[in-house]
């Protein structure tokens, strides 16, 4: 089904943007794994709306209520279930979207797929609001991976033509990412914030690129063909509504250089096999090679903008003008950074369980 993910764990996301609540169930998690709920809430706060000038003014605490799976600070082996209650909705802002779909949004395709029975309020099940329960699962997986020395971090690498510094592909210093506005270079981040403010003032929106790095991965995770680490990560990263492309290592640049420049030559370092460069982004043949895993995800501009746009009336089958109401991010990229981290953590933890399921108590 489209709302589930995983082979060794099973993640299911449920709810609609303006429904009673949104949530997730996470099954297949070994018993005895520690859970730090305060640390999880700090992670969820990075995605939550209404906390700064570059996000939607809709305010939600995004405080999960755990219904099962955790006892006295540890997983108990039962499915982990959590719900976030929706408390700040204005469904009337979306009353006309079944008849007059927003350009760039899923309103039209949802109407065709579900024949008018879909929940259009706030985007329903297509909303970025559903990334909150994704972050619950991903935040937990991040904690468990860190127990094994595996760390995941991301930052805004590009935003509307403005670039941040980039991770060193050999030693990504993910701890240097600024937490309030996720960039490596704060001066460059300030220019990005100015671009977001300008877009908001003009009734427009901007997109960008997120760079994600995973350090501490052992060699050997993943499988060839359909079970490769790139495939595992890409399939869940593409579940983030705004993602339009993903690339690993140096990505499309491989098309412009010869093999002698692209190949990562091997060496021995402290008794371990390493590579002299990391153009492949830590994955060969779908399997991790022990180097840092790096990928970029492109985030489109928020489709809900206040400028008048051309659309159609589906009931009258004629062209019309649409002015979108509601509360929307002028740029989704900053809030998408922890979501990309969460998606990567779920994919890596799922692959880790395939080899190391019985390793957690050692």
């Amino acid at each position: 089904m489209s709302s589930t993910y995983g082979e060794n764990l099973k993640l299911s996301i449920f709810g609609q943007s303006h429904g009673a609540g949104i949530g997730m169930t996470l099954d297949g998690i070994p018993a005895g794994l520690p859970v730090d709920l305060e640390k999880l809430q700090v992670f969820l706060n990075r995605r939550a709306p209404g906390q700064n000038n570059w996000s939607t003014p809709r305010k939600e605490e995004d405080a999960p209520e755990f219904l099962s799976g955790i006892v006295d600070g540890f997983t108990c082996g039962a499915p982990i279930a959590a719900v976030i209650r929706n408390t700040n909705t204005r469904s009337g802002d979306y009353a006309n979207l079944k008849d007059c779909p927003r350009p760039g949004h899923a309103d039209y395709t949802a109407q065709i797929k579900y024949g008018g029975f879909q929940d259009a309020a706030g985007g329903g099940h297509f909303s970025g609001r559903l990334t909150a329960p994704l972050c619950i699962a991903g935040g937990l997986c991040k904690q468990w991976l860190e127990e094994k020395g595996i760390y995941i971090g991301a930052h805004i690498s590009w935003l509307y033509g403005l670039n941040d510094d980039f991770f060193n592909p050999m030693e990504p210093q993910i701890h240097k990412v600024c937490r309030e506005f996720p960039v490596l270079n704060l001066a460059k981040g300030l220019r990005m914030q100015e671009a977001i403010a300008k877009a908001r003032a003009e009734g427009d929106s901007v997109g960008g690129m997120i760079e994600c790095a995973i350090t501490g991965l052992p060699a050997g995770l993943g499988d060839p063909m359909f079970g490769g680490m790139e495939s595992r990560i890409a399939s869940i990263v593409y579940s983030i509504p705004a993602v339009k492309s993903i690339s690993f290592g140096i990505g499309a640049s491989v098309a412009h250089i010869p093999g002698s420049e692209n190949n990562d030559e091997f060496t021995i370092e402290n008794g371990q096999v390493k590579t002299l460069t990391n153009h492949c982004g830590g994955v060969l043949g779908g399997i991790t090679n022990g180097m840092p895993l790096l990928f970029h995800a492109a985030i489109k501009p928020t489709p809900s903008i206040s400028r008048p746009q051309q659309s159609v009336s589906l009931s009258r089958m004629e062209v019309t003008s649409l002015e979108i109401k509601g509360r929307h991010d002028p740029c989704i990229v900053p809030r998408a950074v922890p979501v990309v981290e969460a998606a990567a953590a779920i994919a890596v933890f799922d692959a880790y369980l395939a080899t190391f399921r019985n390793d957690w108590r050692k």
Side-chain angles (χ1 to χ4, degrees):
M1 294 179 65
S2 64
S3 296
T4 61
Y5 172 88
E7 295 181 5
N8 304 288
L9 58 77
K10 293 295 180 182
L11 169 66
S12 179
I13 302 291
F14 65 85
Q16 296 109 249
S17 178
H18 286 199
I22 53 177
M24 66 97 213
T25 59
L26 188 60
D27 200 0
I29 304 302
L33 276 60
V35 174
D36 186 334
L37 294 181
E38 291 185 5
K39 184 177 181 180
L40 176 64
Q41 189 62 60
V42 170
F43 179 71
L44 295 177
N45 290 344
R46 292 172 53 199
R47 193 223 69 95
Q51 301 189 84
N52 44 59
N53 294 328
W54 53 82
S55 71
T56 171
R58 176 179 178 176
K59 292 183 179 295
E60 296 277 6
E61 290 186 1
D62 282 1
E65 173 188 349
F66 283 90
L67 307 178
S68 65
I70 300 174
V71 177
D72 296 331
F74 292 88
T75 58
C76 66
I80 301 171
V83 63
I84 296 174
R85 310 290 179 181
N86 288 328
T87 60
N88 188 359
T89 61
R90 292 191 341 206
S91 300
D93 292 338
Y94 302 85
N96 68 327
L97 298 184
K98 286 186 178 181
D99 183 59
C100 190
R102 290 169 289 182
H105 214 289
D107 301 327
Y108 172 69
T109 51
Q111 177 73 14
I112 298 300
K113 179 74 174 180
Y114 298 111
F117 290 98
Q118 75 279 6
D119 183 357
H125 195 67
F126 295 87
S127 171
R129 180 90 181 115
L130 274 295
T131 60
L134 183 74
C135 281
I136 297 175
L140 292 173
C141 289
K142 279 192 70 174
Q143 291 185 24
W144 300 327
L145 289 170
E146 288 173 4
E147 289 280 315
K148 299 302 180 182
I150 300 170
Y151 294 88
I152 301 174
H155 70 112
I156 305 170
S157 55
W158 288 90
L159 191 145
Y160 194 52
L162 300 169
N163 71 283
D164 187 23
D165 298 339
F166 295 96
F167 284 138
N168 179 339
M170 303 297 288
E171 295 183 15
Q173 295 181 304
I174 58 179
H175 63 281
K176 289 190 174 182
V177 176
C178 303
R179 283 307 173 198
E180 182 177 358
F181 190 82
V183 291
L184 292 167
N185 187 315
L186 187 55
K188 294 181 178 180
L190 291 174
R191 289 195 288 272
M192 293 179 183
Q193 292 177 46
E194 291 171 359
I196 296 173
K198 184 174 184 292
R200 182 195 290 275
E202 295 174 349
D204 214 336
S205 63
V206 293
M209 191 84 73
I210 293 172
E211 182 183 31
C212 184
I214 307 171
T215 64
L217 281 173
L221 295 187
D223 301 282
M225 300 294 290
F226 306 120
M229 282 307 307
E230 292 118 325
S231 300
R232 292 170 182 262
I233 292 172
S235 66
I236 190 168
V237 169
Y238 273 125
S239 74
I240 303 169
V243 171
K244 296 304 293 182
S245 75
I246 184 171
S247 61
F248 292 81
I250 62 173
S253 296
V254 300
H256 305 287
I257 58 176
S260 57
E261 294 180 22
N262 177 66
N263 293 344
D264 299 308
E265 296 181 291
F266 291 104
T267 187
I268 301 295
E269 184 178 307
N270 298 323
Q272 293 185 319
V273 175
K274 300 288 184 179
T275 57
L276 297 177
T277 53
N278 192 16
H279 298 145
C280 70
V283 183
L284 291 169
I287 301 169
T288 58
N289 67 356
M291 299 297 290
L293 193 158
L294 291 99
F295 68 89
H296 273 89
I299 310 294
K300 71 179 183 181
T302 313
S304 294
I305 59 177
S306 58
R307 286 187 178 186
Q309 300 177 85
Q310 180 176 303
S311 185
V312 295
S313 167
L314 297 176
S315 61
R316 302 191 306 271
M317 289 304 291
E318 63 183 30
V319 172
T320 187
S321 179
L322 175 66
E323 292 190 31
I324 298 172
K325 299 179 181 179
R327 300 161 293 176
H328 308 285
D329 294 82
C331 180
I332 200 68
V333 182
R335 292 177 58 211
V337 169
V339 184
V340 168
E341 292 178 15
I346 295 165
V348 171
F349 190 74
D350 184 48
Y352 197 94
L353 283 177
T355 303
F356 300 106
R357 174 173 289 275
N358 296 321
D359 189 48
W360 295 95
R361 297 181 183 178
K362 294 181 181 179

